[in-house]
Amino acid sequence: MGNQVREIQYFFSGQHFSDGLRVTLGILLPALVFTWFGHLELGVLLSFGALSVSISDFPGPPVHKRNGMLICCLSIFVVALITGYARMHPLIMGAEVLLFCFFFSMLAVYGNRAAAIGTAALLVMVLLMDEPQQPSEVPLYSGLVLAGGVWYMLLSLLVYQIRPYKPVQYALGECVREVARFLNLKAGFYSSGERLEESYQKVVAQQIVVNEKQEAVRELLFKSRLLVKESTNTSRRLLLIFVEVVDLFEQVMLIHYDYASLRERFEHSGILDKIAGAIRAVATELDVLGLAIQSNTRYKNQLDLNAQLEELKQSIDGLNAAYAGSSTTYGGEGVIRKEESTLVLKKVLINLKNITERFRGIVSFMNSDARQPVNSDHLQYTRFVSHQRFDRKTFFDNLSLNSSIFKHSGRVALVCLFGFVLTKVLSYGEHSYWVLLTIIVILKPAFSITKERNYQRLVGTVIGGTIGFCILLIITDPLVLFLMLVVLMIGTFSFIRINYVVSVSFMTPFILIIFSFLGADGFSLVQERIIDTLLGSAIAFTASYLIFPNWESAQLKKHMLEVIAANEKYLMKLADRLRGMPVDTADYKLARKDVYVSSANLSAAFQRMLSEPRSKQKNSGELHRFVVLNHILSSNIATVAIAVSSNEQLQYSPDSLRAIRRALAVLESTRKKLSESSAAALAVAAEPTSSTAELAADDQPVRQEEKAAPGLSSEDMLLKEQFGFINRIVLDIRKSAEAVVA
């Protein structure tokens, strides 16, 4: 029950609901004002311009938002002007459809915001191509569309000026929430009733979401003048919280050992379920903290974490005492002294305590004035964010069949031209432009995304059409219908970026209500809407399979190379620490970030491949194994790195350096093997990962029969075991990579 309540609180205090309110206000207000003065048609055009520009109003740095909306205003004005004249000549209109669909789809080479501008421009073209306009009215109509776009832009920028820190708080709260979900999923590794394979699938999928949220916060924090160059107490506090959140996520990644071995040793004792319970308790508190950050309220703890961890400590001590006077055999590795048998459990407990400490650090930053200076390492923000180049070279370099965006743009242009001709030939309804609109909305660069969007659009339209028809059948009072319209619009624009099925289910009824105000017949309108959507969906789905198809299997080797290279760099940072060399904090965190980003990209590409036809899913079993193994590898590297940084006595172990040499040699050979099999990946392979040659050694695994030198401490024994596990993992990674390229 508590989780459901928090879900509702997250929604109503979050970015998406705020966006829904703003967009609804921006669209409705011009129409209402002009209708009041008896100029409904003019108000509709203003609202249409506002709707178009709202598509480009992505969360992000204010300068990017402003520039994006300015370009969008200019684009929709030019498109409205050209379409107003071209619509009078079918051949010219067809040429416009072909050229504009290609050009505006190509804007995706400049990122998501530019792609949204292209979508807005195409929306204007499609909705105005059947608008009855006299040549003398075209400049007026185009000017009204522009005025509506400018109105929305000013409204959006005004809201930001009033609440400049709110977007960061929204994004930061969502980021903490997704980390809490990740931690909750990690508890599954310790739960006796859950399969390890399923737990890995969930964790890897959630890591994609966490990475997306962290990147969103970085964009807002490190590309905003107010938050970086004109630092205030609030901005410093938000920056410090984010730094702690990223470090906390690394601590969450550390709860990683050989889970199969852990279960073999301790599942019978019941201690693993207690660990899972403690992890879920910490995750619950993190979730509550995320809500407090997002809503800018004080954090109120729900559970006593100290009591939870103390109870877990007593259980581990009791288990350790039970082993007193006896020896324990596990994993086929010989007899282990009783004080070593529960050391790994104590490590998990220590890590949970460290997570709790970082959690309390975030709470203290929330409740303080954050006047302390930010560490200079954290101010190297330009190294942690990507920078999009906006030049002609980027555009022209992508005019090639090697570019997925080029193939997508060509597909959109050809299919929209076909849809345009089809609707002109059939001419079966007054709103046949819905076919073109459906094609533009559904077609995406990747087949899997097109397939998913197709399904969502169809289901949402059928559900929404049914709801809309029932509303029009039951409700006749115009005031009640208008109130329903407002609610449906808020729902549409609140869910459009988080749940497309729900968004379309809200969208279809509000469109039907609008047309009912204009005198259209409800039943025939629902019927036409569904038929047009079915036709557009069928055309789009067929085209994504037949015209310049873009299969994820062709891109996966590049992602595999990137993740191996990132893990090499990460492992080199660990080697530098073991060799006693100074490691810059920013360099270490950048290497860590690269691992998370490349792992998330690989996982996302693999998930998209699974939605493609089975004939295109090449080596899916080995690819899944490769994805999971790299997640395990990066988690274990992080675990060892933290252990080494907190214990200087471990830094000069010859055995540890030999283990890293072996692991690096295997990773390097794997990367070369992959690069040889993929010409497209040579650029990634050619990049030097680090001074790997300094640590090069023979390609031999750590032998499990190697015995520790007499007198090794429990810490050394556990570290040796972890290095052995890392070496086994990199060998498995090489086997999976070889199976993929075979």
Side-chain angles (χ1 to χ4, degrees):
M1 185 65 181
N3 290 337
Q4 294 175 346
V5 171
R6 277 200 305 279
E7 286 283 338
I8 296 173
Q9 291 175 326
Y10 261 111
F11 175 73
F12 284 108
S13 65
Q15 177 76 55
H16 302 294
F17 182 67
S18 174
D19 289 347
L21 288 174
R22 186 182 66 253
V23 174
T24 300
L25 176 64
I27 294 172
L28 271 182
L29 196 57
L32 292 177
V33 171
F34 275 77
T35 300
W36 179 268
F37 291 104
H39 299 288
L40 173 61
E41 186 177 7
L42 301 182
V44 168
L45 286 169
L46 285 165
S47 294
F48 176 46
L51 169 64
S52 302
V53 174
S54 72
I55 296 174
S56 66
D57 188 17
F58 269 62
V63 174
H64 293 189
K65 288 166 65 74
R66 183 200 64 200
N67 293 344
M69 287 188 285
L70 276 173
I71 295 172
C72 190
C73 287
L74 178 62
S75 299
I76 64 174
F77 173 72
V78 172
V79 170
L81 199 63
I82 294 175
T83 304
Y85 292 113
R87 60 169 293 278
M88 303 173 189
H89 308 281
L91 290 178
I92 297 177
M93 190 66 236
E96 180 189 336
V97 169
L98 183 68
L99 295 174
F100 277 17
C101 284
F102 177 80
F103 174 76
F104 284 110
S105 297
M106 279 294 297
L107 292 183
V109 299
Y110 298 118
N112 291 333
R113 194 180 301 276
I117 293 172
T119 301
L122 294 180
L123 174 68
V124 170
M125 179 189 72
V126 170
L127 294 184
L128 289 183
M129 65 171 55
D130 288 332
E131 182 71 19
Q133 304 176 50
Q134 296 301 318
S136 59
E137 296 175 327
V138 171
L140 173 63
Y141 277 44
S142 304
L144 288 170
V145 171
L146 173 62
V150 172
W151 143 251
Y152 178 84
M153 179 185 69
L154 295 175
L155 173 66
S156 180
L157 295 177
L158 176 63
V159 171
Y160 174 80
Q161 289 296 325
I162 295 173
R163 304 190 304 172
Y165 300 109
K166 205 62 182 172
V168 183
Q169 291 170 341
Y170 287 148
L172 196 51
E174 288 184 4
C175 182
V176 173
R177 184 191 193 194
E178 298 303 337
V179 172
R181 286 178 173 172
F182 186 89
L183 180 58
N184 194 54
L185 291 174
K186 294 283 277 189
F189 290 113
Y190 300 89
S191 299
S192 56
E194 297 192 31
R195 294 175 54 202
L196 287 179
E197 186 70 16
E198 293 178 357
S199 295
Y200 276 123
Q201 290 178 358
K202 294 175 183 177
V203 165
V204 169
Q206 182 61 19
Q207 187 177 354
I208 301 172
V209 181
V210 173
N211 178 69
E212 290 174 351
K213 299 302 180 184
Q214 288 185 351
E215 287 298 294
V217 180
R218 285 190 185 98
E219 284 282 313
L220 287 165
L221 275 176
F222 300 151
K223 290 187 178 181
S224 172
R225 181 180 179 86
L226 176 65
L227 294 166
V228 176
K229 296 181 180 179
E230 299 176 4
S231 185
T232 63
N233 288 340
T234 302
S235 65
R236 281 195 294 271
R237 184 164 62 244
L238 292 171
L239 179 58
L240 289 168
I241 289 174
F242 177 63
V243 170
E244 284 294 308
V245 168
V246 175
D247 288 343
L248 183 145
F249 180 61
E250 183 183 42
Q251 292 285 160
V252 172
M253 291 284 288
L254 299 193
I255 306 182
H256 195 295
Y257 297 91
D258 187 346
Y259 294 120
S261 176
L262 273 179
R263 289 188 175 189
E264 183 181 347
R265 302 181 203 178
F266 301 111
E267 192 167 22
H268 66 279
S269 66
I271 191 66
L272 296 185
D273 286 320
K274 292 181 180 180
I275 291 176
I279 292 174
R280 291 192 173 102
V282 177
T284 297
E285 289 304 295
L286 264 179
D287 195 41
V288 175
L289 178 63
L291 178 59
I293 294 173
Q294 179 177 283
S295 58
N296 197 26
T297 56
R298 290 189 68 85
Y299 160 74
K300 297 179 181 178
N301 61 300
Q302 306 291 306
L303 302 170
D304 187 348
L305 294 182
N306 288 334
Q308 292 266 354
L309 296 180
E310 181 59 31
E311 182 180 344
L312 178 60
K313 179 181 181 299
Q314 291 176 3
S315 298
I316 294 174
D317 289 342
L319 184 63
N320 193 55
Y323 290 154
S326 64
S327 60
T328 304
T329 303
Y330 60 87
E333 298 179 15
V335 177
I336 306 298
R337 298 190 299 272
K338 62 95 178 177
E339 66 268 16
E340 293 164 3
S341 61
T342 57
L343 178 61
V344 66
L345 301 180
K346 294 176 181 177
K347 286 287 188 181
V348 174
L349 176 62
I350 291 171
N351 195 34
L352 276 173
K353 289 182 177 179
N354 290 336
I355 291 174
T356 305
E357 285 302 312
R358 290 203 176 275
F359 170 82
R360 293 194 181 99
I362 296 173
V363 174
S364 68
F365 286 139
M366 288 179 62
N367 298 332
S368 69
D369 60 6
R371 295 184 184 276
Q372 62 268 45
V374 180
N375 189 302
S376 60
D377 291 327
H378 304 149
L379 295 180
Q380 301 180 42
Y381 56 88
T382 55
R383 301 176 62 190
F384 290 86
V385 292
S386 58
H387 299 275
Q388 180 67 58
R389 292 178 58 188
F390 295 94
D391 53 17
R392 287 178 296 176
K393 186 177 185 301
T394 302
F395 187 91
F396 287 113
D397 285 349
N398 278 273
L399 295 178
S400 163
L401 284 175
N402 292 326
S403 168
S404 61
I405 300 299
F406 176 80
K407 291 192 286 187
H408 167 66
S409 302
R411 188 188 312 124
V412 172
L414 293 174
V415 175
C416 284
L417 179 61
F418 174 78
F420 172 75
V421 173
L422 185 67
T423 55
K424 291 301 178 184
V425 171
L426 296 180
S427 187
Y428 57 85
E430 296 180 5
H431 310 99
S432 57
Y433 57 82
W434 279 341
V435 176
L436 271 181
L437 194 60
T438 301
I439 292 172
I440 290 171
V441 169
I442 287 178
L443 270 181
K444 300 296 177 185
F447 173 87
S448 58
I449 303 177
T450 300
K451 176 183 175 182
E452 181 183 23
R453 183 56 63 95
N454 200 345
Y455 169 79
Q456 293 171 337
R457 183 83 176 187
L458 286 172
V459 172
T461 299
V462 172
I463 294 173
T466 304
I467 294 173
F469 178 72
C470 292
I471 289 174
L472 295 176
L473 191 66
I474 297 171
I475 301 173
T476 57
D477 189 316
L479 179 60
V480 177
L481 281 175
F482 176 76
L483 294 176
M484 290 289 296
L485 172 67
V486 173
V487 172
L488 291 168
M489 288 182 71
I490 293 173
T492 297
F493 299 116
S494 296
F495 284 97
I496 197 163
R497 293 192 179 107
I498 55 175
N499 193 320
Y500 193 67
V501 172
V502 175
S503 178
V504 176
S505 299
F506 279 112
M507 183 191 302
T508 304
F510 100 62
I511 291 174
L512 298 179
I513 292 174
I514 288 176
F515 278 107
S516 73
F517 284 148
L518 300 176
D521 177 64
F523 179 74
S524 61
L525 200 63
V526 170
Q527 186 180 35
E528 186 180 352
R529 171 82 173 177
I530 293 177
I531 291 174
D532 288 344
T533 300
L534 287 171
L535 181 59
S537 296
I539 293 172
F541 183 74
T542 304
S544 66
Y545 193 90
L546 299 177
I547 303 176
F548 305 133
N550 185 31
W551 308 117
E552 287 296 335
S553 56
Q555 310 293 325
L556 277 168
K557 287 182 183 177
K558 176 177 178 292
H559 293 304
M560 291 169 70
L561 274 167
E562 289 173 348
V563 78
I564 289 176
N567 270 316
E568 276 190 87
K569 290 180 181 178
Y570 200 22
L571 195 54
M572 276 302 304
K573 296 301 175 186
L574 174 58
D576 289 342
R577 284 185 172 178
L578 285 170
R579 295 159 66 198
M581 297 176 61
V583 177
D584 182 71
T585 303
D587 288 339
Y588 171 77
K589 291 187 175 183
L590 190 62
R592 179 183 67 185
K593 171 184 175 288
D594 289 343
V595 168
Y596 294 162
V597 171
S598 59
S599 298
N601 290 340
L602 173 63
S603 301
F606 175 73
Q607 294 297 328
R608 290 194 297 269
M609 189 194 77
L610 294 180
S611 298
E612 295 176 348
R614 286 195 175 274
S615 60
K616 306 300 179 183
Q617 297 180 26
K618 301 177 182 178
N619 301 308
S620 58
E622 286 298 334
L623 282 168
H624 176 257
R625 189 163 179 262
F626 184 90
V627 170
V628 171
L629 288 171
N630 272 281
H631 169 78
I632 296 173
L633 175 61
S634 58
S635 298
N636 274 276
I637 294 173
T639 302
V640 177
I642 292 295
V644 170
S645 63
S646 61
N647 189 343
E648 294 184 359
Q649 294 179 352
L650 299 175
Q651 290 185 353
Y652 302 100
S653 168
D655 289 340
S656 299
L657 283 173
R658 279 195 293 270
I660 291 183
R661 290 192 194 105
R662 295 183 181 113
L664 281 170
V666 174
L667 287 175
E668 186 174 24
S669 66
T670 305
R671 179 166 52 83
K672 290 179 179 179
K673 183 76 173 178
L674 277 172
S675 64
E676 290 169 0
S677 69
S678 176
L682 284 176
V684 178
E687 293 179 1
T689 57
S690 57
S691 54
T692 309
E694 296 178 17
L695 295 171
D698 59 324
D699 181 12
Q700 295 294 328
V702 173
R703 296 180 356 215
Q704 292 307 304
E705 63 270 17
E706 287 182 0
K707 300 298 180 181
L712 279 183
S713 67
S714 299
E715 290 274 0
D716 290 323
M717 285 292 295
L718 181 58
L719 188 64
K720 180 179 177 62
E721 182 182 339
Q722 286 177 313
F723 275 122
F725 185 58
I726 287 175
N727 275 268
R728 295 198 300 273
I729 290 298
V730 296
L731 286 171
D732 289 340
I733 287 173
R734 184 173 66 181
K735 290 177 184 177
S736 292
E738 289 173 346
V740 169
V741 301

